[in-house]
Tab-separated table of all heavy atoms in Angstrom:
chain	number	residue	atom	x	y	z
A	1	PHE	N	73.975	18.282	-50.688
A	1	PHE	CA	73.089	17.151	-50.399
A	1	PHE	C	73.720	15.807	-50.756
A	1	PHE	O	73.363	14.785	-50.154
A	1	PHE	CB	71.767	17.315	-51.164
A	1	PHE	CG	70.923	18.439	-50.663
A	1	PHE	CD1	70.626	19.518	-51.483
A	1	PHE	CD2	70.438	18.443	-49.363
A	1	PHE	CE1	69.838	20.573	-51.021
A	1	PHE	CE2	69.653	19.492	-48.894
A	1	PHE	CZ	69.356	20.557	-49.727
A	2	PHE	N	74.631	15.773	-51.717
A	2	PHE	CA	75.262	14.518	-52.140
A	2	PHE	C	76.780	14.698	-52.151
A	2	PHE	O	77.382	14.876	-53.219
A	2	PHE	CB	74.766	14.114	-53.531
A	2	PHE	CG	73.269	13.954	-53.614
A	2	PHE	CD1	72.483	14.945	-54.173
A	2	PHE	CD2	72.654	12.822	-53.108
A	2	PHE	CE1	71.107	14.821	-54.239
A	2	PHE	CE2	71.274	12.681	-53.173
A	2	PHE	CZ	70.498	13.680	-53.738
A	3	PRO	N	77.423	14.686	-50.969
A	3	PRO	CA	78.877	14.845	-50.931
A	3	PRO	C	79.609	13.734	-51.679
A	3	PRO	O	80.697	13.937	-52.196
A	3	PRO	CB	79.197	14.828	-49.434
A	3	PRO	CG	78.018	14.188	-48.794
A	3	PRO	CD	76.843	14.527	-49.637
A	4	ILE	N	79.016	12.553	-51.712
A	4	ILE	CA	79.505	11.470	-52.559
A	4	ILE	C	78.288	10.844	-53.224
A	4	ILE	O	77.232	10.692	-52.598
A	4	ILE	CB	80.308	10.426	-51.745
A	4	ILE	CG1	80.788	9.292	-52.661
A	4	ILE	CG2	79.501	9.878	-50.582
A	4	ILE	CD1	81.723	8.317	-51.970
A	5	SER	N	78.417	10.527	-54.478
A	5	SER	CA	77.286	9.991	-55.216
A	5	SER	C	76.817	8.676	-54.594
A	5	SER	O	77.618	7.832	-54.194
A	5	SER	CB	77.682	9.769	-56.675
A	5	SER	OG	76.644	9.134	-57.380
A	6	GLN	N	75.505	8.499	-54.521
A	6	GLN	CA	74.955	7.280	-53.921
A	6	GLN	C	75.372	6.039	-54.691
A	6	GLN	O	75.709	5.006	-54.102
A	6	GLN	CB	73.425	7.388	-53.875
A	6	GLN	CG	72.927	8.453	-52.907
A	6	GLN	CD	71.434	8.651	-52.998
A	6	GLN	OE1	70.832	8.471	-54.056
A	6	GLN	NE2	70.821	9.042	-51.891
A	7	ILE	N	75.382	6.133	-55.995
A	7	ILE	CA	75.738	4.964	-56.805
A	7	ILE	C	77.218	4.634	-56.671
A	7	ILE	O	77.615	3.463	-56.683
A	7	ILE	CB	75.349	5.198	-58.284
A	7	ILE	CG1	75.375	3.895	-59.075
A	7	ILE	CG2	76.235	6.249	-58.922
A	7	ILE	CD1	74.326	2.913	-58.669
A	8	ARG	N	78.066	5.651	-56.515
A	8	ARG	CA	79.500	5.393	-56.330
A	8	ARG	C	79.774	4.822	-54.939
A	8	ARG	O	80.661	3.976	-54.777
A	8	ARG	CB	80.293	6.676	-56.558
A	8	ARG	CG	80.291	7.122	-58.012
A	8	ARG	CD	81.173	8.336	-58.243
A	8	ARG	NE	81.182	8.729	-59.643
A	8	ARG	CZ	80.303	9.565	-60.188
A	8	ARG	NH1	79.362	10.115	-59.433
A	8	ARG	NH2	80.365	9.873	-61.475
A	9	LEU	N	79.019	5.263	-53.951
A	9	LEU	CA	79.154	4.676	-52.613
A	9	LEU	C	78.701	3.223	-52.624
A	9	LEU	O	79.298	2.372	-51.949
A	9	LEU	CB	78.330	5.484	-51.611
A	9	LEU	CG	78.449	5.052	-50.143
A	9	LEU	CD1	79.891	5.153	-49.659
A	9	LEU	CD2	77.539	5.895	-49.265
A	10	TRP	N	77.679	2.926	-53.383
A	10	TRP	CA	77.206	1.549	-53.537
A	10	TRP	C	78.299	0.686	-54.186
A	10	TRP	O	78.579	-0.426	-53.740
A	10	TRP	CB	75.945	1.553	-54.374
A	10	TRP	CG	75.195	0.254	-54.413
A	10	TRP	CD1	75.604	-0.942	-53.899
A	10	TRP	CD2	73.921	0.027	-54.990
A	10	TRP	NE1	74.663	-1.905	-54.120
A	10	TRP	CE2	73.607	-1.332	-54.789
A	10	TRP	CE3	73.013	0.839	-55.654
A	10	TRP	CZ2	72.424	-1.904	-55.240
A	10	TRP	CZ3	71.831	0.267	-56.099
A	10	TRP	CH2	71.538	-1.083	-55.893
A	11	ALA	N	78.913	1.206	-55.249
A	11	ALA	CA	79.995	0.476	-55.910
A	11	ALA	C	81.192	0.272	-54.974
A	11	ALA	O	81.792	-0.804	-54.942
A	11	ALA	CB	80.433	1.230	-57.168
A	12	LEU	N	81.520	1.307	-54.200
A	12	LEU	CA	82.619	1.184	-53.246
A	12	LEU	C	82.319	0.125	-52.195
A	12	LEU	O	83.203	-0.641	-51.788
A	12	LEU	CB	82.867	2.543	-52.585
A	12	LEU	CG	84.027	2.609	-51.583
A	12	LEU	CD1	85.353	2.316	-52.270
A	12	LEU	CD2	84.063	3.984	-50.911
A	13	GLN	N	81.062	0.059	-51.761
A	13	GLN	CA	80.677	-0.961	-50.794
A	13	GLN	C	80.856	-2.363	-51.366
A	13	GLN	O	81.362	-3.268	-50.692
A	13	GLN	CB	79.220	-0.750	-50.367
A	13	GLN	CG	78.735	-1.756	-49.331
A	13	GLN	CD	77.230	-1.707	-49.157
A	13	GLN	OE1	76.523	-1.209	-50.026
A	13	GLN	NE2	76.744	-2.227	-48.047
A	14	LEU	N	80.428	-2.568	-52.615
A	14	LEU	CA	80.570	-3.875	-53.249
A	14	LEU	C	82.035	-4.300	-53.339
A	14	LEU	O	82.389	-5.462	-53.097
A	14	LEU	CB	79.942	-3.856	-54.639
A	14	LEU	CG	78.417	-3.806	-54.698
A	14	LEU	CD1	77.952	-3.690	-56.142
A	14	LEU	CD2	77.822	-5.039	-54.041
A	15	ILE	N	82.898	-3.350	-53.682
A	15	ILE	CA	84.326	-3.671	-53.780
A	15	ILE	C	84.902	-4.000	-52.407
A	15	ILE	O	85.658	-4.973	-52.251
A	15	ILE	CB	85.081	-2.495	-54.428
A	15	ILE	CG1	84.634	-2.310	-55.881
A	15	ILE	CG2	86.585	-2.724	-54.367
A	15	ILE	CD1	85.173	-1.066	-56.533
A	16	MET	N	84.531	-3.221	-51.398
A	16	MET	CA	85.091	-3.418	-50.065
A	16	MET	C	84.660	-4.750	-49.456
A	16	MET	O	85.454	-5.438	-48.809
A	16	MET	CB	84.668	-2.263	-49.153
A	16	MET	CG	85.254	-0.921	-49.555
A	16	MET	SD	87.044	-0.851	-49.369
A	16	MET	CE	87.207	-0.790	-47.604
A	17	VAL	N	83.401	-5.145	-49.644
A	17	VAL	CA	82.937	-6.396	-49.035
A	17	VAL	C	83.386	-7.620	-49.821
A	17	VAL	O	83.367	-8.736	-49.289
A	17	VAL	CB	81.399	-6.395	-48.895
A	17	VAL	CG1	80.934	-5.245	-48.036
A	17	VAL	CG2	80.720	-6.376	-50.246
A	18	SER	N	83.773	-7.440	-51.067
A	18	SER	CA	84.241	-8.578	-51.861
A	18	SER	C	85.739	-8.803	-51.740
A	18	SER	O	86.206	-9.931	-51.938
A	18	SER	CB	83.882	-8.359	-53.340
A	18	SER	OG	82.501	-8.172	-53.505
A	19	THR	N	86.494	-7.754	-51.414
A	19	THR	CA	87.951	-7.876	-51.351
A	19	THR	C	88.452	-8.855	-50.287
A	19	THR	O	89.398	-9.611	-50.553
A	19	THR	CB	88.584	-6.488	-51.125
A	19	THR	OG1	88.177	-5.618	-52.180
A	19	THR	CG2	90.093	-6.573	-51.101
A	20	PRO	N	87.869	-8.905	-49.048
A	20	PRO	CA	88.391	-9.854	-48.060
A	20	PRO	C	88.362	-11.311	-48.499
A	20	PRO	O	89.154	-12.118	-47.996
A	20	PRO	CB	87.469	-9.627	-46.847
A	20	PRO	CG	87.019	-8.230	-46.983
A	20	PRO	CD	86.875	-7.999	-48.446
A	21	SER	N	87.476	-11.659	-49.431
A	21	SER	CA	87.457	-13.041	-49.923
A	21	SER	C	88.745	-13.400	-50.653
A	21	SER	O	89.093	-14.584	-50.766
A	21	SER	CB	86.259	-13.242	-50.860
A	21	SER	OG	85.051	-13.003	-50.170
A	22	LEU	N	89.462	-12.386	-51.146
A	22	LEU	CA	90.735	-12.647	-51.820
A	22	LEU	C	91.779	-13.181	-50.852
A	22	LEU	O	92.739	-13.843	-51.274
A	22	LEU	CB	91.254	-11.370	-52.481
A	22	LEU	CG	90.384	-10.765	-53.590
A	22	LEU	CD1	91.008	-9.470	-54.079
A	22	LEU	CD2	90.237	-11.741	-54.735
A	23	LEU	N	91.637	-12.902	-49.560
A	23	LEU	CA	92.610	-13.389	-48.584
A	23	LEU	C	92.679	-14.916	-48.589
A	23	LEU	O	93.755	-15.501	-48.468
A	23	LEU	CB	92.251	-12.889	-47.180
A	23	LEU	CG	92.307	-11.377	-46.950
A	23	LEU	CD1	91.787	-11.039	-45.560
A	23	LEU	CD2	93.737	-10.867	-47.115
A	24	VAL	N	91.518	-15.556	-48.730
A	24	VAL	CA	91.480	-17.018	-48.757
A	24	VAL	C	92.201	-17.542	-49.989
A	24	VAL	O	93.011	-18.473	-49.912
A	24	VAL	CB	90.022	-17.513	-48.721
A	24	VAL	CG1	89.968	-19.027	-48.730
A	24	VAL	CG2	89.315	-16.975	-47.485
A	25	ALA	N	91.924	-16.940	-51.150
A	25	ALA	CA	92.588	-17.374	-52.385
A	25	ALA	C	94.090	-17.141	-52.312
A	25	ALA	O	94.888	-17.979	-52.775
A	25	ALA	CB	91.991	-16.641	-53.578
A	26	LEU	N	94.519	-16.038	-51.719
A	26	LEU	CA	95.953	-15.765	-51.576
A	26	LEU	C	96.619	-16.760	-50.638
A	26	LEU	O	97.765	-17.175	-50.870
A	26	LEU	CB	96.157	-14.337	-51.068
A	26	LEU	CG	95.802	-13.211	-52.048
A	26	LEU	CD1	95.929	-11.852	-51.367
A	26	LEU	CD2	96.708	-13.261	-53.274
A	27	HIS	N	95.922	-17.155	-49.581
A	27	HIS	CA	96.496	-18.135	-48.653
A	27	HIS	C	96.662	-19.488	-49.332
A	27	HIS	O	97.684	-20.169	-49.143
A	27	HIS	CB	95.609	-18.276	-47.418
A	27	HIS	CG	96.292	-18.919	-46.258
A	27	HIS	ND1	96.530	-18.269	-45.073
A	27	HIS	CD2	96.809	-20.159	-46.105
A	27	HIS	CE1	97.162	-19.074	-44.240
A	27	HIS	NE2	97.333	-20.238	-44.844
A	28	VAL	N	95.667	-19.892	-50.117
A	28	VAL	CA	95.781	-21.156	-50.852
A	28	VAL	C	96.915	-21.080	-51.872
A	28	VAL	O	97.681	-22.033	-52.050
A	28	VAL	CB	94.451	-21.497	-51.539
A	28	VAL	CG1	94.599	-22.742	-52.404
A	28	VAL	CG2	93.364	-21.714	-50.495
A	29	ALA	N	97.068	-19.933	-52.529
A	29	ALA	CA	98.176	-19.753	-53.477
A	29	ALA	C	99.525	-19.827	-52.747
A	29	ALA	O	100.500	-20.357	-53.294
A	29	ALA	CB	98.037	-18.411	-54.189
A	30	TYR	N	99.571	-19.312	-51.525
A	30	TYR	CA	100.804	-19.406	-50.729
A	30	TYR	C	101.142	-20.864	-50.412
A	30	TYR	O	102.309	-21.277	-50.473
A	30	TYR	CB	100.636	-18.607	-49.438
A	30	TYR	CG	101.717	-18.861	-48.416
A	30	TYR	CD1	103.007	-18.361	-48.592
A	30	TYR	CD2	101.438	-19.599	-47.263
A	30	TYR	CE1	103.996	-18.593	-47.645
A	30	TYR	CE2	102.421	-19.836	-46.321
A	30	TYR	CZ	103.695	-19.330	-46.515
A	30	TYR	OH	104.677	-19.581	-45.574
A	31	ARG	N	100.131	-21.672	-50.098
A	31	ARG	CA	100.368	-23.095	-49.852
A	31	ARG	C	100.887	-23.795	-51.107
A	31	ARG	O	101.812	-24.618	-51.040
A	31	ARG	CB	99.076	-23.760	-49.376
A	31	ARG	CG	98.677	-23.404	-47.956
A	31	ARG	CD	97.460	-24.204	-47.517
A	31	ARG	NE	97.203	-24.049	-46.089
A	31	ARG	CZ	96.274	-24.730	-45.419
A	31	ARG	NH1	95.503	-25.585	-46.066
A	31	ARG	NH2	96.115	-24.541	-44.131
A	32	GLU	N	100.295	-23.469	-52.237
A	32	GLU	CA	100.764	-24.069	-53.493
A	32	GLU	C	102.207	-23.656	-53.788
A	32	GLU	O	103.006	-24.462	-54.286
A	32	GLU	CB	99.841	-23.645	-54.630
A	32	GLU	CG	98.431	-24.201	-54.517
A	32	GLU	CD	97.515	-23.666	-55.587
A	32	GLU	OE1	97.948	-22.726	-56.302
A	32	GLU	OE2	96.378	-24.159	-55.708
A	33	HIS	N	102.546	-22.407	-53.494
A	33	HIS	CA	103.917	-21.937	-53.709
A	33	HIS	C	104.903	-22.679	-52.807
A	33	HIS	O	106.016	-23.035	-53.243
A	33	HIS	CB	103.987	-20.438	-53.455
A	33	HIS	CG	105.383	-19.879	-53.517
A	33	HIS	ND1	106.083	-19.751	-54.702
A	33	HIS	CD2	106.224	-19.425	-52.531
A	33	HIS	CE1	107.284	-19.252	-54.454
A	33	HIS	NE2	107.391	-19.040	-53.141
A	34	ARG	N	104.519	-22.926	-51.560
A	34	ARG	CA	105.395	-23.661	-50.640
A	34	ARG	C	105.651	-25.086	-51.124
A	34	ARG	O	106.776	-25.579	-51.082
A	34	ARG	CB	104.779	-23.698	-49.241
A	34	ARG	CG	104.906	-22.411	-48.452
A	34	ARG	CD	104.614	-22.664	-46.999
A	34	ARG	NE	105.617	-23.553	-46.412
A	34	ARG	CZ	105.472	-24.181	-45.256
A	34	ARG	NH1	104.351	-24.039	-44.567
A	34	ARG	NH2	106.423	-24.952	-44.778
A	35	GLU	N	104.591	-25.748	-51.590
A	35	GLU	CA	104.768	-27.112	-52.086
A	35	GLU	C	105.637	-27.140	-53.341
A	35	GLU	O	106.466	-28.038	-53.512
A	35	GLU	CB	103.403	-27.734	-52.383
A	35	GLU	CG	102.625	-28.121	-51.133
A	35	GLU	CD	101.405	-28.942	-51.460
A	35	GLU	OE1	101.044	-29.010	-52.666
A	35	GLU	OE2	100.809	-29.508	-50.528
A	36	ALA	N	105.462	-26.131	-54.206
A	36	ALA	CA	106.306	-26.075	-55.406
A	36	ALA	C	107.755	-25.773	-55.043
A	36	ALA	O	108.683	-26.282	-55.687
A	36	ALA	CB	105.763	-25.010	-56.361
A	37	LYS	N	107.949	-24.972	-54.004
A	37	LYS	CA	109.312	-24.616	-53.594
A	37	LYS	C	110.031	-25.804	-52.970
A	37	LYS	O	111.204	-26.067	-53.277
A	37	LYS	CB	109.257	-23.451	-52.605
A	37	LYS	CG	110.618	-22.958	-52.157
A	37	LYS	CD	110.464	-21.779	-51.198
A	37	LYS	CE	111.831	-21.292	-50.716
A	37	LYS	NZ	111.700	-20.142	-49.784
């Protein structure tokens, strides 16, 4: 009935939907690295 725990699937969802926001921070860090270089 529970091949994966509901609470663990909920946690996995939170991680997956929050990770793409890191792309913006990484792009800004890349710009800062270029200016420093």
Side-chain angles (χ1 to χ4, degrees):
F1 291 117
F2 302 102
I4 179 173
S5 174
Q6 292 173 330
I7 194 67
R8 291 185 179 88
L9 184 60
W10 191 352
L12 182 63
Q13 181 192 20
L14 288 176
I15 294 172
M16 294 294 288
V17 300
S18 303
T19 302
S21 299
L22 297 177
L23 296 174
V24 181
L26 291 175
H27 197 116
V28 175
Y30 168 73
R31 287 185 170 186
E32 294 175 351
H33 174 72
R34 283 195 65 195
E35 286 190 348
K37 182 179 179 180

